[in-house]
Amino acid sequence: MNSFISLYSEVFETASHYYDNIVKVHVERLTELDNILPPSSTFLMLINTATYNYEFISKNIQYATGLNRESMYAGGIKYLLSKVHKDDIQVWITALQDLMTFCMTNVSKGDRKKMSFQYNYRLQVRPDKIINIVENQIPLELDDIGKPVIGLGHFTVYDDGIFHPIKAYARMLNKNEEYETLFFKNYGVQYLLGGLSNREQDILRLLALKKTSKEIGTKLFISHHTVDTHRRKILKKLKISSTSEILSYCKENKLL
């Protein structure tokens, strides 16, 4: 876990610190809003990446996730990192790094507060409970070099029990006050194919082309029995019950 905390720190490293008046104004506004919001599957958090703390956490967090609000305040971002699903955390941090790099290299300093960053991941809120989170981050304050340091996070919980590959978006408000997508990346390939051998990936791609076991065997110079063995291993590794499900999933997520 310490290595992931270190990686997270590198993404958001800043020499600037924001306290008191700047944070206070945002907290007061969010508190007023939070007082009138009904219980729901969404919640808000004000994130200070200079201190790795949450300056504000919506009361809905416990209703939506089951996580304790006071524990979130006490543990800060490190507490959230400890709850990110072990299979997601490396890819999630990579997505954050990609978004930050894009922002700092492709968006002018004057436009960075117009940005919205979206990504998803899973939280292991209990040993027997995993939830899907979609997080939207809007920069509210920048540090001296224009790096986002205070952000408003809008979180939505999808308790559907379905695996969703991590996707990251960077959008900016255009002249029509509409968000326009400037960056998109689907990290699902790493999820879907990462556990497969090179041979299994070759077979998966040929299955996507609707090749039979005999045709695949001929192309790869192996027997159709070996192809069938690999096919069964692919199904087991991906926890999918049939070849048709693999193909549908790959097509839907543009993984092949």
Side-chain angles (χ1 to χ4, degrees):
M1 179 54 63
N2 287 336
S3 62
F4 293 122
I5 292 172
S6 178
L7 288 171
Y8 186 94
S9 300
E10 289 178 13
V11 174
F12 293 101
E13 183 179 7
T14 177
S16 301
H17 295 270
Y18 291 89
Y19 304 102
D20 302 330
N21 293 336
I22 291 177
V23 171
K24 184 179 179 181
V25 170
H26 292 304
V27 170
E28 288 176 350
R29 291 173 179 171
L30 289 170
T31 301
E32 291 177 5
L33 177 63
D34 199 44
N35 287 334
I36 62 174
L37 290 177
S40 71
S41 60
T42 65
F43 57 94
L44 302 171
M45 295 203 294
L46 187 66
I47 302 166
N48 187 335
T49 56
T51 61
Y52 307 113
N53 290 325
Y54 296 112
E55 305 290 351
F56 171 85
I57 302 173
S58 168
K59 64 179 184 297
N60 260 346
I61 189 170
Q62 193 149 346
Y63 178 87
T65 69
L67 295 176
N68 183 272
R69 188 184 188 191
E70 297 309 315
S71 296
M72 288 287 291
Y73 270 125
I77 291 171
K78 291 181 180 179
Y79 181 80
L80 181 70
L81 284 171
S82 73
K83 298 297 182 181
V84 176
H85 193 283
K86 62 182 179 62
D87 293 338
D88 287 9
I89 189 164
Q90 180 68 66
V91 183
W92 176 60
I93 290 177
T94 298
L96 294 179
Q97 178 67 70
D98 290 346
L99 288 170
M100 182 64 78
T101 299
F102 176 83
C103 177
M104 298 300 290
T105 58
N106 294 277
V107 181
S108 67
K109 185 175 180 179
D111 284 336
R112 288 174 193 164
K113 286 189 180 181
K114 299 178 184 177
M115 297 297 294
S116 172
F117 304 100
Q118 178 182 309
Y119 37 86
N120 62 289
Y121 49 93
R122 292 175 293 172
L123 292 181
Q124 184 90 47
V125 294
R126 296 197 311 266
D128 62 341
K129 180 75 170 179
I130 298 171
I131 59 175
N132 290 295
I133 296 284
V134 175
E135 179 177 346
N136 283 276
Q137 276 286 338
I138 298 175
L140 299 180
E141 303 294 341
L142 309 177
D143 68 8
D144 296 336
I145 63 170
K147 198 172 190 178
V149 66
I150 302 291
L152 175 61
H154 180 275
F155 300 76
T156 302
V157 176
Y158 292 96
D159 191 10
D160 54 12
I162 299 173
F163 167 74
H164 300 277
I166 291 179
K167 299 177 183 178
Y169 303 79
R171 301 182 175 99
M172 186 171 70
L173 277 176
N174 59 26
K175 294 180 180 179
N176 297 321
E177 294 297 308
E178 298 173 342
Y179 277 109
E180 180 179 344
T181 300
L182 303 181
F183 171 93
F184 168 75
K185 187 171 181 179
N186 184 343
Y187 296 83
V189 173
Q190 185 167 345
Y191 274 119
L192 184 61
L193 303 182
L196 303 183
S197 67
N198 290 336
R199 175 64 80 192
E200 288 165 346
Q201 291 184 35
D202 290 339
I203 290 173
L204 181 62
R205 292 187 177 96
L206 290 169
L207 288 171
L209 297 175
K210 299 183 179 180
K211 300 295 184 181
T212 66
S213 292
K214 186 175 181 179
E215 290 171 329
I216 293 172
T218 300
K219 185 172 182 63
L220 299 179
F221 303 102
I222 57 178
S223 74
H224 69 274
H225 298 295
T226 301
V227 173
D228 288 337
T229 298
H230 282 303
R231 185 200 299 260
R232 288 192 292 271
K233 288 181 179 179
I234 291 169
L235 294 176
K236 183 177 181 180
K237 287 182 178 181
L238 301 182
K239 299 179 181 179
I240 294 177
S241 60
S242 69
T243 302
S244 61
E245 287 185 45
I246 293 177
L247 304 185
S248 297
Y249 185 82
C250 291
K251 184 176 180 180
E252 178 184 347
N253 292 283
K254 300 179 181 179
L255 300 180
L256 297 173

